[in-house]
Amino acid sequence: MLLVDSDVLIWYMRGNERAYDFIEGLAGFSISVITYMELVQGMRNKRELYKLRQSLHRWNARIVYLTEEISAKAMFFVEQRYLSHSVEIADALIGASAVACGFPLLTGNDKHYKAMSGVEIKKFSP
């Protein structure tokens, strides 16, 4: 299983061929609830939101909800790395979700996660 970061799905929705081929080639994947909320915030209307929900279902995408373990790991990442690497809250929660689930994180924004110990990054290049 793989945890897919927001940027990859945004490229998919914008018509990026590499993102399309990669996502469509997966039998299923997971996203953080943070990723889901970031995607929803980018929707312009209810029709786009409906299409997003349909796509997630078709892709067999599973949403990883926040747990105490994920929250604690994210809090650690922010405490340990915010001043030196500007780790943002959303990225800390997504990275912590990947670690807690034991999933590699597919992202094009690998620099956001390199400072987080235990995050296995699978680099995506659009």
Side-chain angles (χ1 to χ4, degrees):
M1 188 61 74
L2 195 63
L3 191 74
V4 177
D5 198 8
S6 315
D7 62 323
V8 179
L9 295 175
I10 290 168
W11 283 318
Y12 177 100
M13 290 185 291
R14 290 182 178 165
N16 179 278
E17 190 175 324
R18 292 203 56 192
Y20 179 88
D21 291 344
F22 195 94
I23 293 298
E24 292 298 327
L26 295 173
F29 57 89
S30 293
I31 62 170
S32 166
V33 68
I34 303 303
T35 294
Y36 177 77
M37 290 187 290
E38 287 177 335
L39 294 171
V40 168
Q41 286 182 326
M43 300 293 107
R44 294 174 293 204
N45 55 52
K46 289 190 183 212
R47 177 153 174 76
E48 285 187 355
L49 176 59
Y50 177 74
K51 286 172 75 176
L52 170 65
R53 293 177 60 107
Q54 279 186 317
S55 294
L56 291 171
H57 180 74
R58 184 173 49 80
W59 294 328
N60 195 28
R62 183 180 140 253
I63 296 176
V64 175
Y65 295 96
L66 299 181
T67 63
E68 186 174 349
E69 177 186 7
I70 291 170
S71 299
K73 286 181 187 312
M75 186 173 69
F76 176 79
F77 290 152
V78 172
E79 286 177 343
Q80 297 298 309
R81 300 289 184 234
Y82 177 74
L83 292 176
S84 60
H85 292 86
S86 300
V87 170
E88 297 291 330
I89 293 169
D91 293 335
L93 287 164
I94 292 168
S97 296
V99 172
C101 292
F103 297 158
L105 176 63
L106 178 69
T107 183
N109 294 324
D110 58 322
K111 66 180 183 245
H112 294 187
Y113 301 99
K114 282 184 178 178
M116 298 180 210
S117 59
V119 177
E120 180 187 342
I121 298 169
K122 184 171 174 73
K123 175 76 169 136
F124 179 81
S125 298

